């Protein structure tokens, strides 16, 4: 199996090298990741200027790695263009969870989604964080277990995997939590006394049972299968019925 590994935290993230090493047990791995952090960039692509890439040495223990002057989605586009027959794109392991509505902003998940748009399987992996950076050595066996659970599926499916800070070893299939969203602007002042703003997202509702947020809160590893069709089918059916009556 030929696996392209990318992320949105950038080429130097310890989560990326952890994922590349875990993936190497399942086939040939090529790493192609942004040269700088691209978190919360969603599925942005670089369309107004060219993108370039350079071979990136060190911390991958012999795994071929490149850094790209672009977004996570660009990395997937360039990687699948340069290296033929990629079977699977893995994105992560992101430092910070990608649960619920963060699916809209997440560069990590968007890289996996970009793969699915190209007709390739895409899997995003993220870990919750507290005060400290996650311990990727400790997380490795849990990442291995989660990947083992899904690696042999053949469908071109998008999967969003989230690890809690301290996984209890249980893996559950979940739905995306759609409650919660409060995108809030926090005003503050810079050292020069000028006003500036932070955009932050705070959960405002309790999570649904069986959802990704619920699972991670319980210490379980969450796997959410996702689809790309954004159509509101229920509403479409209602409107279609009305249309047929007139
Ligand atoms: Mn990130």
């Amino acid at each position: 199996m030929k696996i392209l590994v990318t992320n949105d935290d950038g080429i130097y993230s310890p989560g990326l090298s952890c994922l590349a090493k875990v993936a190497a047990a399942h086939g040939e791995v090529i790493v192609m990741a942004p040269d700088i952090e691209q978190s919360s960039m969603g599925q942005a692509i670089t369309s107004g200027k060219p993108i370039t890439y350079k071979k990136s040495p060190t911390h991958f223990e012999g795994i071929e790695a490149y850094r790209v002057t672009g977004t996570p989605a660009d990395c997937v586009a360039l990687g699948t263009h340069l290296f033929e027959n990629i079977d699977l794109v893995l994105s992560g392991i992101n430092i910070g969870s990608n649960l619920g509505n963060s699916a809209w902003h997440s560069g990590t998940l968007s890289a996996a989604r970009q793969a699915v748009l190209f007709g390739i399987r895409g899997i995003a992996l993220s870990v919750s964080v507290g005060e400290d950076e996650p311990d990727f050595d400790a997380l490795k066996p849990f990442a291995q277990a989660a990947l083992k659970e899904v690696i042999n599926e053949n469908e071109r499916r998008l999967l969003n995997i989230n690890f809690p800070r301290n996984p209890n070893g249980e893996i559950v299939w979940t739905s995306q939590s759609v409650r919660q969203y409060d995108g809030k602007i926090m005003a503050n002042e810079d050292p020069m006394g000028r006003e500036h703003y932070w955009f932050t997202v705070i959960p405002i509702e309790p999570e649904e049972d069986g959802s990704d947020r619920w699972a991670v809160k319980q210490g379980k590893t969450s796997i959410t299968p996702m689809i790309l069709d954004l159509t509101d089918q229920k509403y479409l059916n209602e409107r279609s019925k009305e249309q047929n009556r007139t």
Side-chain angles (χ1 to χ4, degrees):
M1 191 183 312
K2 212 163 166 183
I3 306 167
L4 182 73
V5 175
T6 191
N7 75 349
D8 76 355
D9 291 337
I11 189 83
Y12 301 109
S13 168
L16 179 68
S17 55
C18 173
L19 182 57
K21 287 169 201 165
V22 169
H26 299 279
E28 183 193 343
V29 173
I30 297 152
V31 174
M32 194 144 232
D35 58 349
I36 54 167
E37 186 176 349
Q38 298 275 348
S39 291
S40 301
M41 291 294 280
Q43 207 155 341
I45 54 167
T46 304
S47 61
K49 56 183 183 186
I51 49 175
T52 59
Y53 72 102
K54 277 201 178 90
K55 200 161 175 79
S56 202
T58 67
H59 73 297
F60 291 105
E61 293 175 6
I63 297 169
E64 204 176 338
Y66 302 90
R67 58 182 193 272
V68 179
T69 60
T71 64
D74 290 336
C75 291
V76 174
L78 187 60
T80 52
H81 170 77
L82 293 172
F83 306 100
E84 282 172 8
N85 307 320
I86 299 287
D87 300 296
L88 171 66
V89 172
L90 298 177
S91 177
I93 299 172
N94 189 61
I95 300 176
S97 62
N98 279 305
L99 300 164
N101 286 314
S102 58
W104 294 101
H105 316 294
S106 167
T108 307
L109 181 60
S110 296
R113 195 161 49 212
Q114 187 67 47
V116 178
L117 287 181
F118 288 144
I120 301 167
R121 297 177 59 207
I123 304 173
L125 303 97
S126 309
V127 60
S128 294
V129 287
E131 300 272 296
D132 305 319
E133 289 258 305
D135 179 349
F136 283 105
D137 282 333
L139 189 66
K140 221 169 164 181
F142 298 101
Q144 262 154 355
L147 217 51
K148 214 173 140 198
E149 178 89 14
V150 297
I151 198 103
N152 290 321
E153 283 187 9
N154 287 322
E155 301 224 13
R156 288 171 189 168
R157 204 178 286 287
L158 176 62
L159 297 177
N160 186 24
I161 301 180
N162 278 277
F163 303 101
R165 252 183 101 187
N166 300 302
N168 64 14
E170 206 181 325
I171 298 173
V172 286
W173 288 82
T174 59
S175 59
Q176 179 195 8
S177 171
V178 292
R179 287 185 185 164
Q180 101 175 54
Y181 197 89
D182 188 13
K184 204 173 173 179
I185 293 282
M186 311 277 282
N188 210 329
E189 257 183 22
D190 74 7
M192 318 291 273
R194 294 172 297 205
E195 260 203 339
H196 66 197
Y197 302 90
W198 286 92
F199 184 20
T200 179
V201 179
I202 301 164
I204 49 169
E205 285 182 299
E207 64 283 348
E208 308 90 323
D209 280 357
S211 70
D212 51 2
R213 285 172 64 210
W214 165 86
V216 166
K217 202 174 173 185
Q218 313 258 323
K220 303 173 206 280
T221 295
S222 160
I223 307 179
T224 309
M226 293 187 158
I227 55 169
L228 272 60
D229 183 354
L230 298 177
T231 312
D232 183 342
Q233 205 60 52
K234 207 174 139 203
Y235 190 62
L236 175 64
N237 290 345
E238 278 171 34
R239 295 306 300 243
S240 304
K241 262 185 238 156
E242 261 170 53
Q243 218 165 273
N244 292 341
R245 272 199 294 269
T246 54

